Coordinates of all heavy atoms in Angstrom, one line a residue:
M1 N 105.5 127.7 172.7 CA 104.4 127.8 173.6 C 104.9 127.2 174.9 O 105.2 126.0 175.0 CB 103.2 127.0 173.1 CG 102.6 127.6 171.9 SD 101.1 126.8 171.5 CE 100.5 127.8 170.2
A2 N 104.8 128.0 175.9 CA 105.3 127.5 177.3 C 104.4 126.5 177.9 O 104.8 125.7 178.7 CB 105.3 128.7 178.2
H3 N 103.1 126.4 177.4 CA 102.2 125.5 178.1 C 101.8 124.4 177.1 O 100.7 123.8 177.3 CB 101.0 126.2 178.6 CG 101.3 127.3 179.6 ND1 101.7 126.9 180.9 CD2 101.4 128.6 179.5 CE1 101.9 128.0 181.5 NE2 101.8 129.1 180.7
G4 N 102.5 124.1 176.1 CA 102.2 123.0 175.2 C 101.0 123.2 174.3 O 100.5 122.3 173.7
G5 N 100.6 124.5 174.2 CA 99.5 124.8 173.3 C 98.1 124.5 174.0 O 97.1 124.7 173.3
A6 N 98.1 124.0 175.2 CA 96.8 123.7 175.9 C 96.2 124.8 176.7 O 95.2 124.7 177.3 CB 97.0 122.5 176.7
L7 N 96.9 126.0 176.7 CA 96.4 127.1 177.5 C 95.0 127.5 177.3 O 94.2 127.7 178.2 CB 97.4 128.2 177.4 CG 97.2 129.4 178.4 CD1 97.3 129.0 179.8 CD2 98.2 130.5 178.1
P8 N 94.5 127.6 176.0 CA 93.1 128.0 175.8 C 92.1 127.0 176.4 O 91.0 127.4 176.8 CB 93.0 128.1 174.3 CG 94.3 128.3 173.8 CD 95.2 127.6 174.8
L9 N 92.5 125.7 176.5 CA 91.6 124.7 177.0 C 91.4 124.9 178.5 O 90.3 124.5 179.1 CB 92.1 123.3 176.7 CG 92.2 122.9 175.3 CD1 92.8 121.5 175.1 CD2 90.8 122.9 174.7
W10 N 92.4 125.4 179.2 CA 92.3 125.6 180.7 C 91.1 126.4 181.1 O 90.5 126.2 182.2 CB 93.5 126.1 181.3 CG 94.7 125.2 181.2 CD1 94.7 123.9 180.8 CD2 96.0 125.5 181.5 NE1 96.0 123.4 180.9 CE2 96.8 124.4 181.3 CE3 96.7 126.7 181.9 CZ2 98.2 124.4 181.5 CZ3 98.0 126.7 182.2 CH2 98.8 125.5 181.9
G11 N 90.7 127.4 180.3 CA 89.6 128.2 180.6 C 88.3 127.7 180.1 O 87.2 128.0 180.6
V12 N 88.3 126.9 179.1 CA 87.1 126.4 178.4 C 86.5 125.1 179.1 O 85.3 125.0 179.2 CB 87.3 126.2 176.9 CG1 86.1 125.6 176.2 CG2 87.7 127.5 176.2
V13 N 87.4 124.2 179.4 CA 87.0 122.9 179.9 C 86.2 123.0 181.2 O 85.1 122.4 181.3 CB 88.2 122.0 180.1 CG1 87.8 120.7 180.9 CG2 88.8 121.6 178.8
P14 N 86.5 123.9 182.2 CA 85.7 124.0 183.4 C 84.3 124.5 183.0 O 83.3 124.1 183.6 CB 86.4 125.0 184.3 CG 87.8 124.8 183.9 CD 87.8 124.6 182.4
M15 N 84.2 125.5 182.1 CA 82.9 126.0 181.7 C 82.0 124.9 181.0 O 80.8 124.8 181.3 CB 83.1 127.2 180.7 CG 83.6 128.4 181.4 SD 83.6 129.9 180.4 CE 84.8 129.5 179.1
I16 N 82.7 124.1 180.2 CA 81.9 123.0 179.5 C 81.5 122.0 180.6 O 80.3 121.5 180.5 CB 82.8 122.3 178.4 CG1 83.0 123.3 177.3 CG2 82.1 121.1 177.9 CD1 84.0 122.9 176.3
A17 N 82.3 121.6 181.5 CA 82.0 120.7 182.6 C 80.8 121.2 183.4 O 79.9 120.5 183.7 CB 83.2 120.4 183.5
G18 N 80.9 122.5 183.7 CA 79.8 123.1 184.5 C 78.5 123.2 183.7 O 77.4 122.9 184.3
A19 N 78.6 123.6 182.5 CA 77.4 123.6 181.6 C 76.8 122.3 181.4 O 75.5 122.1 181.3 CB 77.7 124.3 180.3
G20 N 77.6 121.2 181.5 CA 77.1 119.9 181.3 C 76.6 119.3 182.6 O 76.1 118.1 182.6
G21 N 76.7 120.0 183.7 CA 76.2 119.5 185.0 C 77.1 118.5 185.7 O 76.7 117.8 186.6
M22 N 78.4 118.6 185.4 CA 79.3 117.7 186.1 C 79.5 118.2 187.5 O 79.7 119.3 187.7 CB 80.7 117.7 185.3 CG 81.7 116.7 186.0 SD 83.3 116.8 185.1 CE 83.1 115.3 184.1
H23 N 79.4 117.2 188.4 CA 79.6 117.6 189.8 C 81.1 117.9 190.1 O 82.0 117.4 189.6 CB 79.1 116.4 190.7 CG 77.7 116.2 190.6 ND1 76.7 117.0 191.0 CD2 77.0 115.1 190.0 CE1 75.5 116.5 190.7 NE2 75.7 115.4 190.1
W24 N 81.2 118.9 191.1 CA 82.6 119.4 191.4 C 83.6 118.3 191.8 O 84.7 118.3 191.3 CB 82.5 120.4 192.5 CG 83.8 120.9 193.0 CD1 84.3 120.7 194.2 CD2 84.8 121.7 192.3 NE1 85.6 121.2 194.3 CE2 85.9 121.9 193.1 CE3 84.8 122.2 191.0 CZ2 87.0 122.6 192.7 CZ3 85.9 122.9 190.6 CH2 87.0 123.1 191.4
P25 N 83.2 117.3 192.7 CA 84.2 116.3 193.1 C 84.6 115.4 191.9 O 85.8 115.0 191.8 CB 83.5 115.5 194.1 CG 82.4 116.3 194.7 CD 82.0 117.2 193.5
V26 N 83.7 115.1 191.0 CA 84.0 114.3 189.8 C 85.0 115.1 188.9 O 86.0 114.6 188.4 CB 82.8 113.9 189.0 CG1 83.1 113.2 187.8 CG2 81.9 113.1 189.9
F27 N 84.7 116.4 188.7 CA 85.5 117.2 187.9 C 86.9 117.4 188.5 O 87.9 117.3 187.8 CB 84.9 118.6 187.7 CG 85.8 119.6 187.0 CD1 86.0 119.5 185.6 CD2 86.5 120.6 187.6 CE1 86.8 120.3 184.9 CE2 87.3 121.4 187.0 CZ 87.5 121.3 185.6
L28 N 87.0 117.5 189.8 CA 88.3 117.7 190.5 C 89.1 116.5 190.3 O 90.3 116.5 190.0 CB 88.1 118.0 192.0 CG 89.3 118.3 192.8 CD1 90.0 119.5 192.2 CD2 88.9 118.5 194.2
R29 N 88.5 115.3 190.5 CA 89.3 114.0 190.3 C 89.8 113.9 188.9 O 90.9 113.5 188.6 CB 88.5 112.8 190.8 CG 88.4 112.7 192.3 CD 87.8 111.3 192.7 NE 86.5 111.0 192.1 CZ 85.3 111.3 192.6 NH1 85.3 111.9 193.8 NH2 84.2 111.0 192.0
A30 N 88.9 114.1 187.9 CA 89.3 114.0 186.5 C 90.4 115.0 186.2 O 91.3 114.7 185.4 CB 88.0 114.2 185.7
N31 N 90.2 116.2 186.7 CA 91.2 117.3 186.4 C 92.6 116.9 187.0 O 93.6 117.1 186.3 CB 90.7 118.6 186.9 CG 91.4 119.8 186.3 OD1 91.9 119.7 185.2 ND2 91.4 120.9 187.0
L32 N 92.6 116.4 188.2 CA 93.8 116.1 188.8 C 94.5 114.9 188.1 O 95.7 114.9 187.9 CB 93.6 115.7 190.3 CG 93.3 116.9 191.2 CD1 93.0 116.4 192.6 CD2 94.5 117.8 191.3
A33 N 93.7 113.9 187.7 CA 94.2 112.7 187.0 C 94.8 113.2 185.6 O 95.9 112.8 185.2 CB 93.2 111.7 186.8
G34 N 94.1 114.0 184.9 CA 94.5 114.5 183.6 C 95.8 115.3 183.7 O 96.7 115.2 182.9
G35 N 95.9 116.2 184.8 CA 97.1 117.0 185.0 C 98.3 116.1 185.3 O 99.4 116.3 184.8
L36 N 98.1 115.0 186.1 CA 99.1 114.1 186.4 C 99.7 113.4 185.2 O 100.9 113.3 185.0 CB 98.7 113.2 187.5 CG 99.7 112.2 188.0 CD1 100.8 112.9 188.7 CD2 99.1 111.2 189.0
V37 N 98.7 112.9 184.4 CA 99.1 112.2 183.2 C 99.8 113.1 182.2 O 100.9 112.8 181.7 CB 97.9 111.5 182.5 CG1 98.2 111.0 181.1 CG2 97.4 110.4 183.4
W38 N 99.3 114.3 182.0 CA 99.9 115.3 181.1 C 101.3 115.7 181.5 O 102.2 115.7 180.7 CB 99.0 116.5 181.0 CG 99.5 117.6 180.1 CD1 100.1 118.7 180.5 CD2 99.5 117.6 178.7 NE1 100.5 119.4 179.4 CE2 100.1 118.8 178.3 CE3 98.9 116.7 177.7 CZ2 100.2 119.1 176.9 CZ3 99.1 117.1 176.4 CH2 99.7 118.2 176.0
S39 N 101.4 116.1 182.8 CA 102.8 116.5 183.2 C 103.8 115.4 183.2 O 105.0 115.6 182.9 CB 102.7 117.1 184.6 OG 102.2 116.2 185.6
T40 N 103.4 114.2 183.5 CA 104.3 113.0 183.5 C 104.7 112.8 182.0 O 105.9 112.5 181.8 CB 103.6 111.8 184.1 OG1 103.3 112.1 185.4 CG2 104.6 110.6 184.1
A41 N 103.8 112.8 181.1 CA 104.1 112.6 179.7 C 105.0 113.6 179.1 O 106.0 113.3 178.5 CB 102.8 112.5 178.9
V42 N 104.8 114.9 179.4 CA 105.6 116.0 178.9 C 107.0 115.9 179.5 O 108.0 116.0 178.8 CB 105.0 117.3 179.2 CG1 105.9 118.5 179.0 CG2 103.7 117.5 178.4
A43 N 107.1 115.6 180.8 CA 108.4 115.5 181.4 C 109.2 114.3 180.9 O 110.4 114.4 180.6 CB 108.3 115.4 183.0
L44 N 108.5 113.2 180.7 CA 109.2 112.0 180.2 C 109.6 112.2 178.7 O 110.7 111.8 178.4 CB 108.2 110.8 180.3 CG 108.8 109.4 179.9 CD1 109.9 109.1 180.8 CD2 107.7 108.4 180.0
L45 N 108.8 112.8 177.9 CA 109.2 113.1 176.5 C 110.4 114.0 176.5 O 111.3 113.9 175.7 CB 108.0 113.6 175.7 CG 106.9 112.6 175.4 CD1 105.8 113.3 174.7 CD2 107.5 111.6 174.5
G46 N 110.4 115.0 177.3 CA 111.5 115.9 177.4 C 112.8 115.3 177.8 O 113.9 115.5 177.3
Y47 N 112.7 114.4 178.8 CA 113.8 113.7 179.3 C 114.4 112.7 178.2 O 115.6 112.7 178.0 CB 113.5 112.8 180.6 CG 114.6 111.9 181.0 CD1 115.7 112.5 181.7 CD2 114.5 110.6 180.8 CE1 116.7 111.6 182.2 CE2 115.6 109.7 181.2 CZ 116.6 110.3 181.9 OH 117.6 109.4 182.3
L48 N 113.5 112.0 177.6 CA 113.9 111.1 176.5 C 114.5 111.8 175.3 O 115.5 111.4 174.7 CB 112.8 110.2 176.1 CG 112.3 109.2 177.2 CD1 111.1 108.4 176.7 CD2 113.4 108.2 177.6
G49 N 113.9 112.9 175.0 CA 114.4 113.8 173.9 C 115.8 114.3 174.2 O 116.7 114.3 173.3
G50 N 116.0 114.7 175.4 CA 117.3 115.2 175.8 C 118.4 114.1 175.8 O 119.5 114.3 175.3
A51 N 118.0 113.0 176.3 CA 118.9 111.8 176.3 C 119.3 111.4 174.8 O 120.4 111.1 174.5 CB 118.4 110.7 177.0
S52 N 118.3 111.4 174.0 CA 118.5 111.0 172.6 C 119.4 112.0 171.9 O 120.2 111.7 171.1 CB 117.1 111.0 171.8 OG 116.3 110.0 172.4
Y53 N 119.2 113.3 172.2 CA 120.0 114.4 171.6 C 121.5 114.2 172.0 O 122.4 114.2 171.1 CB 119.6 115.8 171.9 CG 120.5 116.8 171.4 CD1 120.4 117.2 170.1 CD2 121.4 117.4 172.2 CE1 121.3 118.1 169.6 CE2 122.3 118.4 171.7 CZ 122.2 118.7 170.4 OH 123.1 119.7 169.9
R54 N 121.7 113.9 173.3 CA 123.1 113.7 173.7 C 123.7 112.5 173.1 O 124.9 112.5 172.7 CB 123.2 113.6 175.2 CG 123.0 115.0 175.9 CD 123.3 114.9 177.4 NE 122.3 114.1 178.1 CZ 121.1 114.6 178.5 NH1 120.8 115.9 178.3 NH2 120.3 113.8 179.2
Y55 N 122.9 111.4 172.9 CA 123.4 110.2 172.3 C 123.8 110.5 170.8 O 124.9 110.1 170.3 CB 122.4 109.1 172.3 CG 122.7 107.9 171.5 CD1 123.7 107.0 171.9 CD2 122.1 107.7 170.3 CE1 124.0 105.9 171.1 CE2 122.4 106.6 169.5 CZ 123.4 105.7 169.9 OH 123.7 104.6 169.2
L56 N 122.9 111.2 170.1 CA 123.2 111.5 168.7 C 124.4 112.4 168.5 O 125.2 112.2 167.6 CB 121.9 112.1 168.0 CG 120.8 111.2 167.8 CD1 119.6 111.9 167.2 CD2 121.2 110.1 166.8
E57 N 124.5 113.4 169.4 CA 125.6 114.3 169.4 C 126.9 113.5 169.5 O 127.9 113.8 168.8 CB 125.4 115.3 170.5 CG 126.5 116.4 170.5 CD 126.3 117.4 171.6 OE1 125.8 117.0 172.7 OE2 126.7 118.5 171.4
R58 N 126.9 112.6 170.4 CA 128.1 111.8 170.7 C 128.5 110.9 169.5 O 129.6 110.7 169.1 CB 128.0 111.0 172.0 CG 129.2 110.3 172.4 CD 129.0 109.5 173.7 NE 128.1 108.4 173.6 CZ 126.9 108.3 174.2 NH1 126.5 109.2 175.0 NH2 126.1 107.3 174.0
E59 N 127.4 110.3 169.0 CA 127.6 109.3 167.9 C 127.9 109.9 166.5 O 128.6 109.3 165.7 CB 126.5 108.3 167.9 CG 126.3 107.4 169.1 CD 127.5 106.5 169.3 OE1 128.0 105.9 168.4 OE2 127.9 106.4 170.5
L60 N 127.2 110.9 166.2 CA 127.3 111.5 164.9 C 128.5 112.4 164.6 O 129.1 112.4 163.6 CB 126.0 112.3 164.5 CG 124.8 111.4 164.4 CD1 123.6 112.3 164.0 CD2 124.9 110.4 163.3
G61 N 128.9 113.1 165.6 CA 130.0 114.0 165.4 C 129.8 115.0 164.3 O 128.8 115.8 164.4
I62 N 130.6 115.0 163.3 CA 130.5 115.9 162.1 C 129.2 115.7 161.4 O 128.7 116.6 160.7 CB 131.7 115.8 161.2 CG1 131.8 116.9 160.2 CG2 131.7 114.5 160.5 CD1 132.2 118.2 160.9
G63 N 128.6 114.5 161.4 CA 127.3 114.3 160.7 C 126.2 115.2 161.2 O 125.3 115.5 160.5
E64 N 126.3 115.5 162.5 CA 125.3 116.4 163.1 C 125.3 117.8 162.3 O 124.3 118.3 162.0 CB 125.6 116.6 164.5 CG 124.9 117.7 165.2 CD 125.4 117.8 166.7 OE1 125.3 116.8 167.4 OE2 125.8 118.9 167.0
W65 N 126.5 118.3 162.1 CA 126.6 119.6 161.4 C 126.2 119.4 160.0 O 125.5 120.4 159.4 CB 128.0 120.1 161.5 CG 128.4 120.5 162.9 CD1 129.2 119.9 163.8 CD2 127.9 121.6 163.6 NE1 129.2 120.5 165.0 CE2 128.4 121.6 164.9 CE3 127.0 122.7 163.2 CZ2 128.1 122.6 165.8 CZ3 126.7 123.6 164.2 CH2 127.3 123.6 165.5
A66 N 126.5 118.3 159.3 CA 126.0 118.1 158.0 C 124.5 118.0 157.9 O 123.9 118.6 157.0 CB 126.6 116.8 157.4
L67 N 123.9 117.3 158.9 CA 122.4 117.3 158.9 C 121.8 118.6 159.2 O 120.8 119.0 158.5 CB 122.0 116.3 160.0 CG 120.5 116.0 160.2 CD1 119.9 115.5 158.9 CD2 120.3 115.1 161.3
L68 N 122.4 119.4 160.1 CA 121.9 120.7 160.4 C 122.0 121.6 159.2 O 121.1 122.4 158.8 CB 122.6 121.3 161.6 CG 122.2 122.7 162.0 CD1 120.8 122.7 162.5 CD2 123.1 123.2 163.1
T69 N 123.1 121.5 158.4 CA 123.3 122.3 157.2 C 122.2 121.9 156.2 O 121.6 122.8 155.5 CB 124.7 122.1 156.6 OG1 125.6 122.4 157.6 CG2 124.9 122.9 155.4
L70 N 121.9 120.7 156.0 CA 120.9 120.2 155.1 C 119.5 120.8 155.5 O 118.7 121.2 154.6 CB 120.8 118.7 155.0 CG 122.0 118.1 154.2 CD1 121.9 116.5 154.3 CD2 122.0 118.5 152.7
I71 N 119.2 120.7 156.7 CA 117.9 121.2 157.2 C 117.8 122.7 157.0 O 116.8 123.2 156.4 CB 117.7 120.9 158.7 CG1 117.5 119.4 158.9 CG2 116.5 121.6 159.3 CD1 117.5 118.9 160.3
V72 N 118.8 123.5 157.3 CA 118.8 124.9 157.1 C 118.7 125.3 155.6 O 118.0 126.1 155.2 CB 120.1 125.6 157.8 CG1 120.2 127.0 157.3 CG2 120.0 125.5 159.3
A73 N 119.4 124.5 154.8 CA 119.4 124.8 153.3 C 118.0 124.5 152.8 O 117.5 125.2 152.0 CB 120.4 123.9 152.6
G74 N 117.4 123.4 153.3 CA 116.0 123.0 152.9 C 115.0 124.1 153.3 O 114.1 124.5 152.5
V75 N 115.1 124.6 154.5 CA 114.2 125.7 154.9 C 114.4 126.9 154.1 O 113.5 127.6 153.7 CB 114.4 125.9 156.4 CG1 113.6 127.2 156.9 CG2 113.9 124.7 157.2
A76 N 115.7 127.3 153.9 CA 116.0 128.5 153.1 C 115.4 128.3 151.7 O 114.9 129.3 151.1 CB 117.5 128.7 153.1
L77 N 115.6 127.2 151.1 CA 115.1 127.0 149.7 C 113.6 127.1 149.7 O 113.0 127.7 148.8 CB 115.5 125.6 149.2 CG 115.0 125.2 147.8 CD1 115.6 126.1 146.8 CD2 115.4 123.7 147.5
R78 N 112.9 126.5 150.7 CA 111.5 126.6 150.7 C 111.0 128.1 150.9 O 110.1 128.5 150.2 CB 110.9 125.8 151.9 CG 109.4 125.7 151.9 CD 109.0 124.7 153.0 NE 107.6 124.6 152.9 CZ 106.9 123.6 153.3 NH1 107.5 122.5 153.8 NH2 105.6 123.6 153.2
V79 N 111.6 128.8 151.7 CA 111.3 130.2 151.9 C 111.5 131.0 150.6 O 110.7 131.8 150.2 CB 112.1 130.9 153.1 CG1 112.0 132.4 153.1 CG2 111.7 130.3 154.4
W80 N 112.6 130.7 150.0 CA 113.0 131.4 148.7 C 111.9 131.1 147.6 O 111.5 132.0 146.9 CB 114.4 131.0 148.2 CG 114.8 131.6 146.9 CD1 115.1 132.9 146.8 CD2 114.9 131.0 145.7 NE1 115.4 133.2 145.4 CE2 115.3 132.0 144.7 CE3 114.6 129.7 145.2 CZ2 115.4 131.7 143.4 CZ3 114.8 129.4 143.9 CH2 115.2 130.4 143.0
L81 N 111.5 129.8 147.5 CA 110.6 129.4 146.5 C 109.2 130.1 146.8 O 108.5 130.5 145.8 CB 110.4 127.9 146.4 CG 111.6 127.2 145.8 CD1 111.4 125.7 145.9 CD2 111.7 127.5 144.3
R82 N 108.8 130.1 148.0 CA 107.5 130.8 148.4 C 107.5 132.2 148.0 O 106.6 132.8 147.5 CB 107.2 130.6 149.8 CG 106.6 129.2 150.1 CD 106.1 129.1 151.5 NE 105.6 127.8 151.7 CZ 104.8 127.5 152.7 NH1 104.4 128.4 153.6 NH2 104.3 126.3 152.8
A83 N 108.7 132.9 148.3 CA 108.8 134.3 148.0 C 108.8 134.5 146.5 O 108.1 135.5 146.0 CB 110.1 134.9 148.6
R84 N 109.4 133.7 145.8 CA 109.4 133.8 144.3 C 108.0 133.6 143.7 O 107.6 134.3 142.8 CB 110.4 132.7 143.8 CG 110.7 132.9 142.3 CD 111.8 131.9 141.9 NE 111.8 131.9 140.5 CZ 112.2 130.9 139.8 NH1 112.5 129.8 140.4 NH2 112.2 130.9 138.4
R85 N 107.3 132.6 144.3 CA 106.0 132.3 143.8 C 105.1 133.5 144.1 O 104.2 133.9 143.3 CB 105.4 131.1 144.5 CG 105.2 130.0 143.5 CD 104.5 128.8 144.2 NE 105.5 127.9 144.7 CZ 105.4 127.2 145.8 NH1 104.4 127.3 146.5 NH2 106.4 126.5 146.2
G86 N 105.3 134.1 145.3 CA 104.5 135.3 145.7 C 104.7 136.5 144.8 O 103.8 137.2 144.4
R87 N 106.0 136.7 144.3 CA 106.3 137.8 143.5 C 105.7 137.6 142.1 O 105.2 138.5 141.5 CB 107.8 138.0 143.3 CG 108.4 138.7 144.5 CD 109.8 139.1 144.1 NE 110.6 138.0 143.6 CZ 111.6 137.4 144.2 NH1 112.1 137.9 145.3 NH2 112.2 136.4 143.7
S88 N 105.8 136.4 141.6 CA 105.3 136.1 140.2 C 103.8 136.2 140.1 O 103.2 136.5 139.1 CB 105.8 134.7 139.7 OG 105.2 133.7 140.5
G89 N 103.1 135.9 141.2 CA 101.6 135.9 141.3 C 101.1 137.3 141.4 O 99.9 137.6 141.1
S90 N 101.8 138.2 141.9 CA 101.3 139.6 142.1 C 101.4 140.5 140.9 O 100.9 141.6 140.9 CB 102.1 140.2 143.3 OG 103.5 140.4 143.0
H91 N 102.1 140.1 139.8 CA 102.2 140.9 138.7 C 101.1 140.7 137.7 O 100.6 139.9 137.3 CB 103.6 140.7 137.9 CG 104.7 141.2 138.7 ND1 105.8 140.5 139.0 CD2 104.9 142.4 139.3 CE1 106.7 141.2 139.8 NE2 106.1 142.4 139.9

């Protein structure tokens, strides 16, 4: 999701504020403050996540590939088990 999953709220929140009788200047200040906090938090989390990935990549080396292999194998096993359960339940 390009917008962090909050896209449906962008259209609903102004309607709720208007229906609740919130004055435009109050809504504008709250909306600007919320947008500033949201964008700062998302950018900071992305920056820290990128820095953490580079650190782990440098420190783990081959362990990274082993971990990735375990994750992929776990997901594949889960998909296989669900498919198997689905086939046995349909007969």
